[in-house]
Amino acid sequence: MSEKRAAATTHAAALNWTGDKSDIRGATVLLVDDVFTSGSQLQHVALRLRATGAADVRGLVLARVPWSG
Protein backbone atom coordinates (compact mmCIF):
# COMPACT_ATOMS: atom_id res chain seq x y z
CA MET A 1 0.00 0.00 0.00
CA SER A 2 1.40 3.37 -0.95
CA GLU A 3 2.12 5.99 1.66
CA LYS A 4 -0.71 8.19 0.34
CA ARG A 5 -3.27 5.35 0.49
CA ALA A 6 -2.14 4.45 4.01
CA ALA A 7 -2.60 8.08 5.09
CA ALA A 8 -6.08 8.19 3.49
CA THR A 9 -7.07 5.02 5.33
CA THR A 10 -5.83 6.45 8.64
CA HIS A 11 -7.63 9.77 8.11
CA ALA A 12 -10.92 8.09 7.18
CA ALA A 13 -10.69 5.79 10.22
CA ALA A 14 -10.29 8.84 12.47
CA LEU A 15 -13.59 10.38 11.36
CA ASN A 16 -16.37 10.34 13.92
CA TRP A 17 -19.98 11.21 13.23
CA THR A 18 -21.20 13.27 16.18
CA GLY A 19 -24.82 13.30 15.09
CA ASP A 20 -27.39 10.55 14.99
CA LYS A 21 -26.15 7.74 12.73
CA SER A 22 -29.72 7.20 11.58
CA ASP A 23 -29.20 10.46 9.61
CA ILE A 24 -26.70 8.57 7.44
CA ARG A 25 -28.62 5.30 7.04
CA GLY A 26 -30.36 5.25 3.68
CA ALA A 27 -29.11 8.72 2.75
CA THR A 28 -27.44 9.93 -0.42
CA VAL A 29 -24.28 11.79 0.63
CA LEU A 30 -22.31 14.30 -1.43
CA LEU A 31 -18.62 14.54 -0.54
CA VAL A 32 -16.87 17.73 -1.65
CA ASP A 33 -13.10 17.86 -2.03
CA ASP A 34 -11.03 20.83 -3.10
CA VAL A 35 -8.32 18.96 -5.03
CA PHE A 36 -8.36 15.46 -6.50
CA THR A 37 -4.93 13.83 -6.39
CA SER A 38 -5.32 10.07 -6.23
CA GLY A 39 -8.92 9.68 -5.09
CA SER A 40 -7.87 7.70 -2.02
CA GLN A 41 -9.33 10.13 0.49
CA LEU A 42 -12.73 10.27 -1.20
CA GLN A 43 -12.75 6.50 -1.64
CA HIS A 44 -11.99 5.72 2.00
CA VAL A 45 -14.46 8.25 3.39
CA ALA A 46 -17.12 6.91 1.00
CA LEU A 47 -16.43 3.37 2.20
CA ARG A 48 -16.86 4.48 5.82
CA LEU A 49 -20.16 6.18 4.97
CA ARG A 50 -21.41 3.10 3.11
CA ALA A 51 -20.39 0.91 6.06
CA THR A 52 -22.47 3.19 8.30
CA GLY A 53 -25.47 2.69 6.04
CA ALA A 54 -25.43 5.42 3.41
CA ALA A 55 -27.38 4.27 0.36
CA ASP A 56 -25.26 6.24 -2.12
CA VAL A 57 -22.13 8.36 -1.89
CA ARG A 58 -21.15 10.80 -4.64
CA GLY A 59 -18.03 12.90 -4.96
CA LEU A 60 -17.63 16.45 -6.24
CA VAL A 61 -14.12 17.70 -6.87
CA LEU A 62 -13.29 21.32 -7.61
CA ALA A 63 -9.89 20.75 -9.26
CA ARG A 64 -7.41 17.98 -9.96
CA VAL A 65 -3.66 17.86 -10.12
CA PRO A 66 -2.24 17.32 -13.62
CA TRP A 67 -1.88 13.65 -14.62
CA SER A 68 1.72 12.48 -14.51
CA GLY A 69 3.11 10.29 -17.24
Side-chain angles (χ1 to χ4, degrees):
M1 182 183 293
S2 75
E3 192 172 310
K4 198 165 206 52
R5 284 186 79 69
T9 302
T10 301
H11 292 152
L15 295 174
N16 288 312
W17 181 256
T18 58
D20 187 349
K21 287 189 179 179
S22 67
D23 292 339
I24 296 173
R25 288 187 204 104
T28 297
V29 179
L30 176 64
L31 294 176
V32 180
D33 197 357
D34 57 347
V35 179
F36 178 90
T37 304
S38 68
S40 291
Q41 194 69 46
L42 281 175
Q43 178 187 21
H44 286 88
V45 172
L47 289 171
R48 288 281 312 274
L49 287 165
R50 290 298 302 262
T52 304
D56 193 23
V57 181
R58 306 287 176 113
L60 173 66
V61 179
L62 303 177
R64 71 169 173 86
V65 297
W67 295 110
S68 61

